[in-house]
Amino acid sequence: MTHSLRSRRHFIATLAGGLLLPAFGRAADEPAATDAEAVRLVTAADAIRFPRESFQTEITVRNFSDGVEGEARKFRVLSRGNENTIVLTLEPATERGQALLMRGRDLWVFMPSVSQPVRLSLAQRLTGQVANGDLARANFAGDYTPTVAGRDTVGDASAVVLELAAVDRGVTYARVKYWVGESDIRPLKAEFYALSGRLLKTALYEDFRQMAGQLRPTRLVMEDALKKGEVSVLTYENMNVRELPERMFTREYMRRLQQ
């Protein structure tokens, strides 16, 4: 091969590389940009559902089977930064005194009749269609890796559809499909999936009202995807931002609560 031919081939290879590199650079940047947008949307929707600060709220859960209402349950939730949470059972009276303590993704139940707390799973059912994690941990941004999946409508609202993949098996659901408002980033709808890919239940966020300094959904309707007509309706009441010291979220403090 002559020196002239080698030079021409080197020039062509260099030119081709120079033309292709910007395209490769854009392709590599696009997923990162999409992920950043998804993280922004999920984080903003989390802040609409619940305050970023420590807060307290009461939640009434009404379970329905084929339209017939069963026994209602009431809980008080004390949350510190969406990482530490206490869930106190207020009603029915027969279960008053039971409490859940969540630290990170570790969850225990305290019962007056049992001397030691019992470790629980976030995915375990609390009542009706409500899992422990639905009340004790509502941190989508911390528990899932989100990506933007497309656009859709929920009722009359234009929505961004997000796919949320669990960061590990310790979270409440293996996968969540999540609709948030395109213009206001309000949470609108969610589908919750098992590790097998089976749809477990759907949820609708409704009745937005001013609470704790923000328009928030005060009604969450959760419907079993496997048993038609099995529905739980969660109503959020009296949500207030308040100081909750770290020392409250310990097993020692929980034992004192039950004395």
Side-chain angles (χ1 to χ4, degrees):
M1 182 183 296
T2 67
H3 175 73
S4 177
L5 181 57
R6 283 199 301 270
S7 297
R8 283 198 298 273
R9 288 188 175 181
H10 177 72
F11 173 77
I12 292 169
T14 303
L15 179 62
L19 292 172
L20 289 173
L21 279 174
F24 286 143
R26 285 193 299 272
D29 288 342
E30 283 172 1
T34 301
D35 290 347
E37 176 66 3
V39 169
R40 183 187 73 82
L41 291 171
V42 172
T43 302
D46 273 358
I48 290 175
R49 288 190 302 140
F50 299 108
R52 298 179 192 272
E53 308 91 338
S54 299
F55 69 92
Q56 174 179 321
T57 187
E58 277 72 51
I59 303 174
T60 299
V61 181
R62 295 179 174 85
N63 298 315
F64 296 84
S65 181
D66 294 325
V68 178
E69 184 174 354
E71 186 176 49
R73 294 172 182 269
K74 189 167 185 176
F75 304 91
R76 174 171 295 138
V77 176
L78 307 167
S79 183
R80 189 175 192 269
N82 281 329
E83 287 293 325
N84 298 331
T85 303
I86 295 170
V87 180
L88 303 171
T89 301
L90 304 180
E91 297 175 9
T94 54
E95 296 182 15
R96 188 175 298 148
Q98 292 186 14
L100 298 175
L101 169 65
M102 184 198 73
R103 289 186 60 86
R105 296 193 192 101
D106 295 326
L107 185 69
W108 294 270
V109 61
F110 293 77
M111 294 177 285
S113 59
V114 180
S115 59
Q116 293 296 322
V118 178
R119 188 76 173 266
L120 294 178
S121 161
L122 289 170
Q124 190 171 328
R125 184 170 295 194
L126 177 63
T127 177
Q129 305 311 308
V130 183
N132 291 326
D134 292 326
L135 293 192
R137 186 172 176 87
N139 185 2
F140 284 169
D143 288 349
Y144 298 91
T145 302
T147 56
V148 175
R151 298 292 190 275
D152 196 4
T153 57
V154 178
D156 296 329
S158 297
V160 180
V161 184
L162 301 161
E163 286 284 352
L164 311 183
V167 296
D168 60 41
R169 293 194 178 191
V171 304
T172 311
Y173 304 102
R175 182 169 70 89
V176 180
K177 192 173 181 180
Y178 193 32
W179 286 255
V180 300
E182 193 164 17
S183 61
D184 52 21
I185 321 181
R186 289 185 184 182
L188 300 174
K189 177 182 174 181
E191 292 178 349
F192 302 102
Y193 291 84
L195 188 62
S196 64
R198 182 181 65 182
L199 176 62
L200 298 172
K201 56 194 170 188
T202 62
L204 293 174
Y205 299 88
E206 301 177 343
D207 197 10
F208 283 76
R209 298 187 183 186
Q210 193 76 23
M211 287 200 310
Q214 172 74 275
L215 274 174
R216 307 184 190 277
T218 63
R219 175 181 159 97
L220 177 59
V221 181
M222 308 187 82
E223 183 171 2
D224 194 314
L226 306 175
K227 298 179 182 177
K228 212 66 176 169
E230 298 294 316
V231 177
S232 292
V233 179
L234 291 73
T235 305
Y236 294 81
E237 306 160 359
N238 307 318
M239 186 179 292
N240 296 295
V241 173
R242 56 168 291 193
E243 184 64 32
L244 299 172
E246 174 72 22
R247 61 180 172 79
M248 287 182 60
F249 300 89
T250 63
R251 286 185 281 184
E252 292 71 23
Y253 188 87
M254 297 295 291
R255 290 190 185 97
R256 289 203 297 272
L257 279 181
Q258 295 181 310
Q259 292 174 356

